Amino acid sequence: MDITFNKNEDHNKLLLSKLKKQLAKVKLGGGKQRIEKLHAKGKMTARERIDYLLDAKKDNIEIGAFVGDGMYVEHGGCPSGGVVVKVGYIKGKQCVVVANDATVKAGAWFPITAKKNLRAQEIAIENRLPIIYLVDSAGVYLPLQDEIFPDKEHFGRIFRNNAIMSSMGITQIAAVMGSCVAGGAYLPIMSDEALIVDKTGSIFLAGSYLVKAAIGENIDNETLGGATTHSEISGVVDYKSKDDKDALDTIKNIVDKIGAFDKAGYNRTTPAKPKEKPEEIYGILPASRSEQYDMLEVIKRLVDNSDFEQYKEGYGKTILTGYARIDGWAVGIVANQRKVVKTAKGEMQFGGVIYSDSADKATRFIANCNQKKIPLVFLQDVTGFMVGSKSEQGGIIKDGAKMVNAVSNSVVPKFTVIIGNSYGAGNYAMCGKAYDPRLIAAWPSAELAVMSGNSAAKVLLQIEKASLEKKGEKITKEKEAALFDTIKKRYDDQISPYYAAARLWTDAIIDPLDTRKWIAMGIEAANHAPIEKPFNMGVLQV
């Protein structure tokens, strides 16, 4: 191994170390003291509940661990958005599990909490997966109620989705393991089956204090909406459990009896590990986002037997397209080539840039994968489309639009991994979040923005300078340098993968070595949902 490989490896392993430390912090939720208080009440934490529920010896993936990171600081923060979401297996059946974290503001819903819950339901709907709700929430966080209450993607959409999933035949099971109040009380009752834990679970539209204020009735919460009331008098719930583990065991028994599903029929053979060492990815991936590298070497370390059959290998070389297998599943890969390439005409093309020929190639490949019912995997390290008179006259806008059209209308499941840069329209063409990938994950090396920090800072600097000069200020070289550094730091904070993950622009930041697991579990989930419409790109300016 050369010195560059070793430097890259050190850099990427430091990023991975940071990721692990950040995850360890996030997993504490509201902190150790609040966890201890929960245990003192005989309750398990959200993560303990999920770990007990899921099959221990099977893989699982967490959606949105960093949601809320650095947000709502003035309100005390909202680690993981106050809710834990995992896709895993219960009695061998793949399920989505959603658990309120009562250590974070008593499980109250922040605006980002609603967005994360909706993402969990979206995954269940798209893939026809059973969804389990472990409810322990004080309801809407009132100081921010105007940002969570009435809109299309706010709190009420959760219950609309409950109804839609029920009509689709998607199993929903809710266990009330703590508070379940106000509008939130509809969630368990709109599920197929509901459980409640004795003495700790409660369901009511209004608690005892509000009842006293509203109608003058004196009543305690247990009598008002406890386990006995709802399992023996109102009939609101179907099962009464003695404690958390009893409730979770009941859920396991229910899931164990769910019937088989109709499969989409994606091709799978016996899984095989890559022949090239996956851990070498750390040394291949450059420390700087502006440096070149061969994406083909990364692909070889992600796919079964390191076999990648390229489509149109000699044409449109700044995008790699081809067929492979990941954990036995057949996939079509669309990846940005990050090294400078030479065309058949002898022209040089920049790595990571989408040219007309590469957009044309990708469009045709995406159409082929839809024709053959092969799931698509996008590996992003893209700075955008090529600009300049030659590109404009060559129809880059038209070719780019064709690629975006193909991605938008694709009916096979899509999975996106942001390896490095994800800038501007390149993010769109390579199936960014706006284009409905079934799962979208970022490596710690990822950057998401309209453009790089350096380029953006230069543009913003010119605007700032012009504004200050209009006010009569003289801009010295020293002041200009200081302004540039301030602007670049602010912008760099926003292009961080953690900034994106906090806002659910990606589902997770993952160790590159977990990429195969994410894609394989994603395709297995997608296999629950047969394709219901043909691939049609509509009207195109060919």
Side-chain angles (χ1 to χ4, degrees), residues 225-247:
T228 300
T229 295
H230 285 311
S231 63
E232 299 178 18
I233 301 172
S234 72
V236 162
V237 300
D238 307 303
Y239 306 91
K240 178 180 175 182
S241 305
K242 63 181 181 181
D243 55 26
D244 282 7
K245 287 187 177 180
D246 185 35

Side-chain angles (χ1 to χ4, degrees), residues 10-23:
D10 289 344
H11 174 79
N12 286 306
K13 286 190 173 179
L14 280 172
L15 291 180
L16 184 60
S17 176
K18 178 188 175 184
L19 171 63
K20 290 178 178 178
K21 286 177 183 176
Q22 294 283 87
L23 276 171

Side-chain angles (χ1 to χ4, degrees), residues 58-177:
K58 300 209 72 172
D59 285 337
N60 65 74
I61 57 177
E62 182 170 353
I63 306 296
F66 288 109
V67 162
D69 184 53
M71 299 169 69
Y72 313 114
V73 177
E74 67 277 21
H75 296 277
C78 187
S80 281
V83 63
V84 183
V85 176
K86 288 193 177 184
V87 180
Y89 301 85
I90 301 173
K91 295 290 186 178
K93 290 184 175 65
Q94 205 172 26
C95 300
V96 179
V97 185
V98 182
N100 300 114
D101 187 348
T103 69
V104 180
K105 288 282 192 293
W109 287 56
F110 284 69
I112 201 68
T113 315
K115 186 174 182 178
K116 185 171 175 179
N117 275 270
L118 288 169
R119 176 63 180 141
Q121 289 185 320
E122 181 181 43
I123 290 169
I125 290 168
E126 285 184 326
N127 299 293
R128 308 292 195 274
L129 292 180
I131 184 167
I132 318 298
Y133 308 101
L134 307 180
V135 185
D136 195 344
S137 172
V140 167
Y141 183 61
L142 290 177
L144 297 174
Q145 65 85 27
D146 61 320
E147 298 178 41
I148 188 175
F149 168 61
D151 213 340
K152 184 178 177 180
E153 293 187 350
H154 284 176
F155 191 72
R157 189 77 171 182
I158 304 288
F159 315 127
R160 175 264 186 194
N161 286 350
N162 288 143
I164 295 297
M165 283 191 277
S166 183
S167 72
M168 294 172 68
I170 297 170
T171 299
Q172 300 176 82
I173 302 167
V176 179
M177 311 180 83

Side-chain angles (χ1 to χ4, degrees), residues 522-541:
I523 299 175
E524 183 181 346
N527 206 33
H528 289 74
I531 295 171
E532 295 176 347
K533 65 176 184 178
F535 176 63
N536 183 347
M537 288 176 64
V539 177
L540 276 177
Q541 292 185 343

Side-chain angles (χ1 to χ4, degrees), residues 199-353:
K199 300 296 185 286
T200 57
S202 58
I203 308 171
F204 34 65
L205 293 180
S208 56
Y209 292 128
L210 186 54
V211 167
K212 172 68 174 174
I215 63 172
E217 181 183 2
N218 285 305
I219 190 168
D220 63 90
N221 282 338
E222 183 64 26
T223 306
L224 182 66
T228 300
T229 295
H230 285 311
S231 63
E232 299 178 18
I233 301 172
S234 72
V236 162
V237 300
D238 307 303
Y239 306 91
K240 178 180 175 182
S241 305
K242 63 181 181 181
D243 55 26
D244 282 7
K245 287 187 177 180
D246 185 35
L248 298 169
D249 285 335
T250 301
I251 293 171
K252 290 181 185 182
N253 292 334
I254 295 169
V255 172
D256 190 38
K257 296 170 182 66
I258 296 174
F261 57 91
D262 294 332
K263 294 184 180 181
Y266 302 119
N267 185 290
R268 193 182 196 187
T269 59
T270 304
K273 292 182 179 180
K275 286 182 180 175
E276 304 289 346
K277 295 178 181 177
E279 59 270 20
E280 289 177 353
I281 287 172
Y282 301 129
I284 293 168
L285 199 64
S288 169
R289 295 277 43 83
S290 60
E291 291 178 32
Q292 304 283 302
Y293 65 96
D294 190 351
M295 181 64 84
L296 190 58
E297 294 303 317
V298 172
I299 292 172
K300 287 178 182 177
R301 287 156 179 82
L302 293 176
V303 301
D304 292 13
N305 292 315
S306 299
D307 288 338
F308 181 56
E309 185 180 348
Q310 286 204 57
Y311 169 84
K312 289 185 177 289
E313 182 177 354
Y315 176 70
K317 294 181 181 179
T318 64
I319 286 184
L320 298 172
T321 53
Y323 303 103
R325 290 188 182 275
I326 293 178
D327 199 41
W329 293 102
V331 296
I333 294 176
V334 181
N336 302 112
Q337 176 56 287
R338 274 309 312 264
K339 67 177 185 178
V340 174
V341 298
K342 185 185 287 188
T343 69
K345 297 176 181 177
E347 298 171 337
M348 304 305 292
Q349 293 184 340
F350 298 107
V353 179

Side-chain angles (χ1 to χ4, degrees), residues 63-64 67 418 433 440-442 448 497 500-509:
I63 306 296
V67 162
I418 304 173
K433 182 67 184 291
I440 177 169
L448 287 81
R503 289 150 183 82
L504 210 53
W505 300 343
T506 62
D507 291 319
I509 305 170

